Amino acid sequence: MSEPDSTASGGSAPQLRRVPADTTTSPHWQGLLNAGNEATFVSAWLALQCSRIAGVSAGLLLLRRADSTVPLLSVTWPPRDVDASDLMRLAETAYAERRLVVAPGRVGPDSRPAQPVALIVALPLGTTNEPIAAVAIALTTTAAKPLVSPAIVAEQLRWGAGWLEALPWARHTKDLSSDVTRAASCLDLLVTVNAQPRLSGMAIAVVNELATRLRCERVSLGIVGRNGTIYLRAVSFSASFKRESRLANAIENAMEEAIEQRGCVAYPPLPTMGRVVAIAHRALAEEAKASGSSTMSAILVGPHGEPTGALTFERHRAEPFTADMLKLVEGIAALLGPQIALQLRANRLLGGRVVDGIGDGCAALFGTRRPILKLCVGSITVLALTLVFAKGEHRVTAKSVLEAEVQRAAVAPFDGFVRAAPARAGDTVRQGDLLAQLDDRDLALDRLKWRAELDKLLQREREALAKHNRNGIVVLEPQIRQAEAQLALAEEKLARTRILAQFDGVVVSGDLSQMLGSPVEKGKTLFEVAPLDSYRLIVQVDERDVRFVAVGQTGTVALAGRPGEPVPMTLSKITPVTLAEEGRNAFRIEARLSEAGLALRPGMEGVAKINSGRRSLAWIWLHPVIDWLRLAAWKYLP
């Protein structure tokens, strides 16, 4: 190393002079860089501290470990020819009492009385309440090497304690660095996997990439079938292989051995695996017929924790798998498992998709999760059972129209003209009330004409009788009867010009008040009159429901004019007459109302419901759909 030379002449630039490096301490600094080996690290630290303090003859360090089975690690300096009993005793006292301890002791290779006595300085190290270590330093008391003050020794040791406090963090950093390296390898492999759209290409890419990265002679991938048996799917650097060969069976046995134990299995077994069965893996290693062969298998777990496959790694050389390799393989398997499961689901056939869908539904329904789904399914099940077993009244719904039981029509008796029309549709009339009157002036003249004709014939008859003219009487008799008939007809027509109500009732149709003086033809319906206390209900039942209807059945009808007051009814007649309305055929069924004296009017419409017996609620709601499906099947099926 170099440092500035301060003895140079004034004004000139400082010169550097070389200082020889201390080659004896360089190995200690190198040891401090090895944070993965605690023994090497603490030995280097103790040696470095003892070499930097004058008069140190021996030293001992007690380090607390995270492993509960080995709580303390102890090292001495120099490594040999040290009697560390006094050093250990004082270091343990300082560690337990959390204080500086200074006491004399012996540190020679033996405990002879002639051995010189040294001054031992022991103190705990650490900034927290719980010390991380304790160190004991033996200082010589000879005249050649003056004794250093215990306070200076303690201060020097406390300054150097930072290395010990940083040891867990350095170890953690090293572990994190290994984890990052493994994660990068896993992500690189995942990129390779995702570049393949199909399971076959992905399997070949996986095993080839793993064989190259992990320096394995053979890597195999197996997939768990529906029956739980694993099938070999891909072998590294092999386009095809015999599935029934001895090697394929050995690889599948090793994979099944790992799946049954739900963890990684290696041969030779690793210390971190604990007690595992590796019989199939040993057989696979022996199958290679190479000295020092080793095998390892890792299971691939799907997104729901079920095993979807396994990876088997083989090395045919004296290079067994390590714990770091095991962690890397476990990380790779954790990432590949969901990807393999997704590819398997994506490459299913229709039958497989249906089976998996049923399985997922059963798992969600009978598993420990999804309580809302279970509640909904339970409620639907209870509702369905209620609909199947509960009984209800089946009622046929149909349109209905109210008609009069008896309905009379007032027609024009002859061709004529309307003279008066006091009645209109909706008026209530009594028997004999005038509904309309036709013009009778022509009929009155006709009556006078025939009356005069009759009088003339009667006069001629009397004259013939007076003259005893038999032939004249015989000729006049038919003429007289004809005149009498014409006169009677004229009088009858005059009487029929007044159109009267035949009974008490209501005028259902007809309004001539706006047609006074208009001509009417003979036989034209002028008015329709219906009684007020005699009605019948016409129910238009759809042809699909007419099989449920029979004479004598009861029901209710809600008329549009009285929607809140349903009226009881009884079916009286089923007529074989159909009505086509809105693209459907309906049968005309007559019913009688069970209540009299209601304020009803003919022509009122409503909705009738006919009771046809008790059926299950499910049948009541679903039978229209079932009937439609039956008819469609009958129509389209051969």
Side-chain angles (χ1 to χ4, degrees):
M1 59 182 295
S2 301
E3 64 180 12
D5 187 4
S6 59
T7 62
S9 59
S12 61
Q15 300 295 323
L16 295 178
R17 62 184 179 90
R18 185 173 300 276
V19 178
D22 188 359
T23 58
T24 60
T25 59
S26 58
H28 305 322
W29 290 107
Q30 293 296 327
L32 291 178
L33 299 178
N34 189 8
N37 192 334
E38 288 185 353
T40 302
F41 183 90
V42 297
S43 297
W45 183 87
L46 181 61
L48 186 62
Q49 296 298 322
C50 293
S51 63
R52 295 177 64 86
I53 301 175
V56 175
S57 60
L60 181 140
L61 176 66
L62 293 178
L63 180 66
R64 185 184 64 196
R65 282 186 171 179
D67 190 359
S68 59
T69 59
V70 184
L72 294 176
L73 173 66
S74 63
V75 294
T76 59
W77 181 87
R80 296 185 301 273
D81 300 332
V82 176
D83 182 12
S85 57
D86 290 344
L87 292 173
M88 178 67 72
R89 176 176 54 81
L90 294 178
E92 289 177 351
T93 302
Y95 185 88
E97 298 180 1
R98 276 76 165 166
R99 65 183 182 86
L100 176 65
V101 177
V102 180
R106 298 180 182 274
V107 292
D110 52 27
S111 56
R112 292 176 298 176
Q115 180 185 358
V117 177
L119 183 64
I120 300 176
V121 178
L123 77 158
L125 301 178
T127 57
T128 59
N129 294 330
E130 184 70 20
I132 61 173
V135 61
I137 299 296
L139 302 176
T140 59
T141 59
T142 61
K145 294 183 180 179
L147 181 63
V148 181
S149 171
I152 296 176
V153 173
E155 183 179 358
Q156 178 66 27
L157 294 175
R158 288 192 182 100
W159 276 107
W163 286 93
L164 298 178
E165 293 180 357
L167 177 60
W169 295 102
R171 209 163 41 233
H172 182 64
T173 302
K174 184 177 180 180
D175 295 339
L176 289 179
S177 177
S178 301
D179 294 341
V180 170
T181 304
R182 286 194 295 269
S185 300
C186 294
L187 292 178
D188 291 342
L189 181 64
L190 196 61
V191 171
T192 304
V193 169
N194 291 332
Q196 302 296 329
R198 295 188 175 276
L199 180 62
S200 57
M202 186 188 72
I204 295 175
V206 166
V207 295
N208 291 342
E209 187 71 16
L210 288 177
T212 303
R213 287 178 177 270
L214 303 184
R215 303 192 312 278
C216 297
E217 276 69 28
R218 182 166 48 231
V219 177
S220 306
L221 173 64
I223 301 299
V224 177
R226 294 188 178 277
N227 57 356
T229 304
I230 194 164
Y231 299 96
L232 189 61
R233 191 63 178 265
V235 178
S236 60
F237 308 114
S238 299
S240 62
F241 54 89
K242 294 182 179 180
R243 297 186 179 274
E244 301 300 329
S245 63
R246 182 177 178 181
L247 177 61
N249 292 333
I251 294 174
E252 291 176 352
N253 292 336
M255 292 179 178
E256 289 180 354
E257 188 175 60
I259 291 176
E260 290 177 357
Q261 300 182 65
R262 295 284 180 167
C264 293
V265 178
Y267 178 81
L270 297 175
T272 56
M273 287 185 177
R275 301 178 63 182
V276 296
V277 178
I279 298 176
H281 286 75
R282 181 176 59 187
L284 179 60
E286 294 174 353
E287 188 72 22
K289 298 179 180 180
S291 177
S293 297
S294 57
T295 59
M296 182 169 61
S297 295
I299 62 173
L300 304 176
V301 181
H304 302 292
E306 74 284 358
T308 60
L311 286 170
T312 299
F313 304 86
E314 299 179 49
R315 284 182 176 176
H316 301 160
R317 60 185 184 275
E319 186 180 351
F321 295 102
T322 62
D324 292 339
M325 184 67 69
L326 175 64
K327 292 181 180 179
L328 177 59
V329 168
E330 289 177 346
I332 292 173
L335 287 178
L336 285 181
Q339 296 294 325
I340 296 291
L342 290 177
Q343 287 287 349
L344 289 174
R345 293 180 67 88
N347 286 273
R348 294 172 300 171
L349 298 177
L350 180 59
R353 294 174 186 270
V354 172
V355 172
D356 288 346
I358 295 175
D360 294 342
C362 293
L365 184 60
F366 299 105
T368 57
R369 304 176 62 185
R370 309 290 292 277
I372 297 178
L373 176 62
K374 294 180 178 61
L375 180 61
C376 294
V377 172
S379 302
I380 293 174
T381 303
V382 172
L383 179 61
L385 294 176
T386 302
L387 293 179
V388 170
F389 295 102
K391 299 290 185 179
E393 186 67 35
H394 177 223
R395 299 194 294 178
V396 178
T397 304
K399 293 177 63 176
S400 61
V401 180
L402 190 65
E403 293 183 355
E405 183 73 21
V406 179
Q407 189 167 304
R408 296 291 178 86
V411 299
F414 47 81
D415 296 340
F417 298 89
V418 178
R419 181 177 180 181
R424 298 169 57 185
D427 293 345
T428 302
V429 295
R430 291 184 171 275
Q431 184 178 1
D433 288 350
L434 179 64
L435 300 178
Q437 184 176 2
L438 301 180
D439 191 355
D440 59 353
R441 287 176 293 182
D442 292 342
L443 295 177
L445 293 176
D446 192 29
R447 183 182 62 175
L448 292 175
K449 169 187 171 183
W450 287 108
R451 182 171 292 176
E453 184 67 23
L454 179 60
D455 291 343
K456 183 174 72 172
L457 293 173
L458 290 175
Q459 181 63 30
R460 291 175 62 185
E461 183 185 19
R462 286 192 294 271
E463 291 177 353
L465 286 174
K467 295 179 179 181
H468 302 282
N469 185 0
R470 289 184 176 271
N471 292 331
I473 293 174
V474 172
V475 173
L476 289 174
E477 283 182 355
Q479 294 179 359
I480 292 172
R481 286 196 298 272
Q482 180 182 7
E484 288 177 348
Q486 291 292 339
L487 180 60
L489 178 60
E491 290 179 350
E492 181 65 23
K493 286 184 177 181
L494 281 173
R496 294 176 66 182
T497 56
R498 293 173 57 85
I499 301 174
L500 305 178
Q502 300 297 320
F503 48 81
D504 296 345
V506 60
V507 179
V508 177
S509 64
D511 184 5
L512 303 178
S513 60
Q514 304 296 326
M515 299 176 60
L516 297 179
S518 299
V520 293
E521 298 177 355
K522 181 180 179 179
K524 180 181 179 180
T525 302
L526 303 179
F527 297 95
E528 289 183 349
V529 181
L532 294 173
D533 55 354
S534 180
Y535 298 98
R536 64 181 177 185
L537 188 68
I538 304 302
V539 183
Q540 302 174 3
V541 179
D542 193 281
E543 61 181 350
R544 294 173 297 181
D545 297 329
V546 72
R547 67 182 186 274
F548 305 120
V549 177
V551 176
Q553 290 179 340
T554 60
T556 55
V557 58
L559 300 173
R562 304 166 60 91
E565 301 177 9
V567 181
M569 66 175 186
T570 303
L571 301 186
S572 59
K573 184 178 181 181
I574 300 177
T575 62
V577 178
T578 59
L579 303 174
E581 184 177 357
E582 297 180 357
R584 293 183 178 182
N585 292 333
F587 279 84
R588 179 184 172 93
I589 299 177
E590 297 181 3
R592 294 185 180 277
L593 300 179
S594 302
E595 294 184 5
L598 299 175
L600 304 177
R601 292 292 184 271
M604 298 179 69
E605 297 183 352
V607 178
K609 291 183 178 292
I610 305 170
N611 300 327
S612 62
R614 295 184 64 80
R615 303 288 183 90
S616 67
L617 297 179
W619 183 90
I620 292 174
W621 288 350
L622 297 179
H623 82 274
V625 179
I626 296 175
D627 294 342
W628 182 86
L629 291 175
R630 287 177 177 174
L631 186 60
W634 176 260
K635 179 179 179 181
Y636 293 106
L637 292 180

